[in-house]
Structures are given as C-alpha cells and as structure tokens.
Amino acid sequence: MTTALANDATQALKPLTGRIVALLAGLAAIGMLSTNIILPAFPMIGEDLGVSARELGLTLSSFFITFALGQLIVGPLADRYGRQKLVLGGLLVFVVGTVIGGLATHLDVLIAGRVVQALGVCAASVLSRAIARDLFEGETLARALSLTMIATAAAPGFSPLAGSLLSATLGWRAIFILVGLAAVALALFYIRGLGETHPADRRAPLSVMSVVRAYRRLALDKRFILPAVSMSLLISGLFASFAAAPAILMKGIGLTSLQTGLYFAATVFVVFAAGMAAPRLAHRHGPRIITILGIACAMAGGGLLLAGPADPSLGRYALSMVTFLWGMGLANPLGTAITMGPFGKEAGMASALLGFISMGAAALTTWLASVLPFAPVTALGGIQAVTCLIALVLFVLRGSLAK
C-alpha cells in the first residue's frame, strides 16, 4: 500500500489557509516554547528558591518525562472523543500548571507546576500533527507539516532569548505569565478559527486493551515504525545541539548569554528556508528522494564537527550547524508526512507514538551529549553523524517497502 504523500494526484481535503497554518504552528510551538524558556532564568530562580542549578535540572527532566508519557494517553483519547476537547482541556491544564509554577516558593512546587504544564501542553503538540492529517493529504499535508515544523524549530530558537530578556527586566515569574497568556490566546484562536476536525464517524473505540493492541499494530507496522524512528533520530540531533551548545558557545568560543541567545535565534532562519523549500523540492523530485538527501545533508553537518578540531571557531561551528539544520529542515516534515500518511483514522495515536519516540530519542541524545567523555564538539558531531546514519538506513528500508 503506497502512502497518500506518494500519490501526486491526491487532493487536499481542505485548502491550506494562513489561519489554519497559524493554528497548527501555535499548537506545535507552545510545547517547545515552554520546554526551555526558563533556562536563562536558572540562576535567578536558584537564588530566589535557595537551590542549585543541578537541582533545577529536575524541572526539565520531569517536564520531558511527563510530556513523553502524556502523549501516549492523549492520542487514543483524541481518536475516541475528538480533537477539540483534548486541545482545549490540555491548554486549560497547562494554564493551571503555569499558575502553580509562577507562584512557586519552593522547588517541589515548581516541579509540580512543570509536571502539570507538561500534562496539558503535550495535547497541543501531539494533536497539531493529528489535526493536520485530519484536514490534508498528499503534498498539502507535507506543506502544512513543513510550515508547522518551522514554528516548532523557532520556539526553542527564540525562547532562550525571550526568557533572558524577561527574567532580566521583569523577573523570572514573568516567563510563566507570558506562556500562560500565550495558551489562553491560542485556545481562543482555536475556538474561533478551527474547532473539531475529527468527525464522529471516524472515531475509534476506546478500551485499555484496544489501545494496547492499536499501539502494538503501529509499532509492528514497518510503514510506520521505520520512518517514525528515522525522523525521531534525526530530530534528536537538534536537541543534542541545544544540550551541548552552551558548553561549546559560551565556555569554548566565549560568547555571552545574550550572544548565545541571538545565535539560537539566527538558526531559526535556516530551518525556515529549508521548511519553505521542502514541499517545492518534493513536488519536483519526489518526497522520498528529498527526505533521503535531507538526512544525508544533516549527517554531513555532524561529520564536519566530528572531523574538525575540538575547539572550532564560531564560523566552523556555524557552518556545520547550518548544514545539519538545512538537512533536518528538508527531511523532517516530508518524513513525518510519509509516516502519518497511511494512518488517517488513527492519526491521534500515530502522532502520539511518533511524539513519544521522538522525545525518547531526544532524552537519550541530550543525556549522551552531557556524559560522553569527549570534547563537547566531538560528542555532538558523533551523536549527529551516528543518529543520522541510522536514520538514513531505516528510511531507505521504508522506501523499499513501497516498491
């Protein structure tokens, strides 16, 4: 069975408008925005709450773990009860967690707030892909996911800069106010601009065993699991770069906190350009070919770091990251569309499992970037090169199934 993406004659179920793109982008980005926006405020939070930076790391790990596991629950619930209830309910839960975190006076309360945040925001992130699959097929689906991916990449690119500016001018609690207001605005925009996209006649029955069986079917379906793991490994290289960049850019190259934030913001434009180019190149040459070329390009970026000096100049490091980000920006939206294409009826669960695998891969590579006994540049280059190589092999194997 070939995917809908591979069929050039496939027509979109609905036209792709700027309003829909903005909604999908917002749903995808708010989770990434809330993930690391508090990083620049760690010194201020630690001083205020009387804890160390290492202890504050629990606010990140607890968020990631909850985010990853929560997606597995949200997916089947959305396939059974529809997208709107889960999106709006999730954003409400996120706002509650934001209030808890923003008012925290002890570390335990701050961690609890982050856990509640993650429980809510995982719904918006996982359902952005499911909603896109509800509304679109073929090349339009790939274009929608490309534009959504730009927002997903922009959020972690700009959020450290935003967090730094907010904490320096208004205090660290202003960060929680910002993300809370963003969630409220997104909920209102969703109600007015989109609403339910998963009709009742397409909803799946819900029981524990049916959910387990459905996840098992997806995990054993090579059309899903091969590209899903491939794209998860690819995106994990981006998270590894976030983990390693402070040591490389600040300790190694000597950038200030503000300069590092500006560097992250500048990288967004690379992903933006690649995301805009991906659907056009796929239309001309085919999504599978462009995805393979994108993964290979990302692998070359990691190779540049691995083969270079342990203390590169800013120019060399930037060149390697531009190469990686360009390849990732081309491959990820097309590969995600290929992954999701055959699973329209169970798009929520497919998106949830994809998100879970992606977060798991990201957790692994960020941990490796911190513990490998090599120079940070060497460790990052090795992680990106190896994960992309495995991703390339898996994706090529997926392509052979469609022949």
Side-chain angles (χ1 to χ4, degrees), residues 64-390:
F64 280 129
I65 293 170
T66 308
F67 193 100
L69 295 175
Q71 293 180 90
L72 296 179
I73 300 172
V74 167
L77 288 176
D79 284 340
R80 174 63 182 88
Y81 298 107
R83 316 302 188 209
Q84 180 167 290
K85 293 177 181 177
L86 272 295
V87 169
L88 296 179
L91 290 174
L92 176 61
V93 171
F94 175 74
V95 171
V96 172
T98 298
V99 172
I100 294 172
L103 296 176
T105 55
H106 296 89
L107 177 61
D108 291 345
V109 178
L110 180 59
I111 292 173
R114 293 287 284 172
V115 167
V116 176
Q117 275 189 319
L119 279 174
V121 82
C122 72
S125 296
V126 70
L127 294 181
S128 64
R129 292 186 296 266
I131 291 170
R133 182 58 188 88
D134 290 340
L135 298 176
F136 310 114
E137 291 180 350
E139 292 180 0
T140 308
L141 174 60
R143 188 161 63 251
L145 289 172
S146 293
L147 296 171
T148 302
M149 189 214 64
I150 291 170
T152 306
F158 283 118
S159 58
L161 182 60
S164 178
L165 293 173
L166 279 172
S167 60
T169 56
L170 300 175
W172 65 270
R173 298 181 193 275
I175 294 174
F176 286 86
I177 295 175
L178 173 66
V179 295
L181 291 176
V184 172
L186 184 59
L188 294 174
F189 191 22
Y190 180 88
I191 293 171
R192 292 172 59 89
L194 192 57
E196 184 57 64
T197 61
H198 192 54
D201 59 355
R202 296 182 63 187
R203 296 180 186 177
L206 181 65
S207 69
V208 173
M209 289 310 301
S210 67
V211 169
V212 172
R213 285 193 295 267
Y215 276 133
R216 183 176 181 273
R217 283 196 302 271
L218 285 171
L220 295 177
D221 193 326
K222 294 179 181 179
R223 297 172 304 159
F224 174 84
I225 199 63
L226 290 177
V229 174
S230 176
M231 292 303 103
S232 297
L233 289 171
L234 177 64
I235 201 71
S236 73
L238 175 65
F239 283 93
S241 72
F242 291 146
I248 296 172
L249 293 172
M250 299 177 72
K251 292 184 179 179
I253 297 176
L255 299 186
T256 66
S257 177
L258 179 59
Q259 288 171 332
T260 301
L262 291 172
Y263 164 82
F264 278 124
T267 61
V268 172
F269 296 100
V270 179
V271 181
F272 175 83
M276 295 298 291
R280 297 176 184 177
L281 292 172
H283 178 76
R284 182 177 302 175
H285 303 289
R288 180 173 176 268
I289 291 175
I290 299 304
T291 303
I292 290 173
L293 290 176
I295 299 173
C297 181
M299 183 171 64
L304 285 174
L305 281 183
L306 186 61
D311 54 344
S313 65
L314 179 59
R316 183 181 180 89
Y317 180 74
L319 174 62
S320 67
M321 287 307 302
V322 165
T323 305
F324 175 84
L325 291 171
W326 176 261
M328 187 206 71
L330 287 178
N332 188 56
L334 300 176
T336 301
I338 289 172
T339 304
M340 297 285 293
F343 305 100
K345 184 177 180 179
E346 49 198 353
M349 296 187 71
S351 181
L353 186 55
L354 174 59
F356 176 77
I357 297 171
S358 296
M359 293 300 292
L364 175 62
T365 55
T366 52
W367 175 74
L368 288 173
S370 302
V371 302
L372 285 176
F374 306 107
V377 167
T378 305
L380 177 58
I383 289 169
Q384 290 181 338
V386 171
T387 54
C388 287
L389 176 60
I390 299 172

